Amino acid sequence: LSRVDKSGGDAAPKIVAVVGPTGVGKSTIIRNLVKHYTKRNVGAISGPITLVASKTRRLTFLEVGPDLPSMIDAAKVADLALLVIDASYGFEMETFEFLNIAATHGMPRIMGVLTHLDSFKEGKKVQ
């Protein structure tokens, strides 16, 4: 019978910053990612959440507010930034601010995530 090391080893967890303006679904994305990895529901997001993603990898999710100091701190420490964009509204000023801040502070890997795609009634508007 082999034992599985659930601690993730001695390596520091990868930090995933979830960035976007207010109301785009940052907390919902974090809750669904936690549910995917742990099969447990999480209530309100009130700080960083660390979880075991695989036998040797841990992830820490940070919800980053739309204020400038939070975005600067996240750009400095994040390994990956999920840039959440409301598809029904488009790009907001906070999105461009974070991209400029990230370019100045080392540019973590950035992945765009579109939310509120279900608000489109016709498929042609999405294209």
Side-chain angles (χ1 to χ4, degrees):
L1 184 67
S2 64
R3 291 186 163 210
V4 177
D5 182 17
K6 291 281 189 178
S7 67
D10 292 333
K14 299 289 182 186
I15 297 176
V16 179
V18 183
V19 183
T22 305
V24 296
K26 298 183 298 284
S27 298
T28 304
I29 288 175
I30 292 174
R31 274 196 297 274
N32 286 322
L33 286 169
V34 169
K35 186 175 181 178
H36 172 76
Y37 284 113
T38 64
K39 309 292 189 265
R40 294 175 188 250
N41 290 326
V42 176
I45 308 294
S46 61
I49 296 177
T50 302
L51 54 88
V52 177
S54 68
K55 291 181 183 178
T56 59
R57 171 137 323 161
R58 292 180 298 157
L59 297 174
T60 297
F61 293 103
L62 298 174
E63 182 176 358
V64 180
D67 57 308
L68 207 57
S70 297
M71 287 192 264
I72 291 172
D73 292 342
K76 288 179 181 179
V77 300
D79 297 307
L80 171 69
L82 295 180
L83 192 56
V84 184
I85 301 164
D86 185 349
S88 64
Y89 187 82
F91 288 99
E92 295 185 39
M93 187 54 79
E94 287 89 349
T95 306
F96 294 114
E97 286 177 352
F98 180 75
L99 288 173
N100 287 331
I101 291 167
T104 304
H105 293 286
M107 192 58 98
R109 291 187 174 113
I110 296 177
M111 181 181 295
V113 178
L114 293 175
T115 59
H116 301 111
L117 287 171
D118 56 345
S119 64
F120 292 107
K121 302 294 182 214
E122 300 174 22
K124 292 181 180 179
K125 289 184 181 179
V126 177
Q127 296 174 356

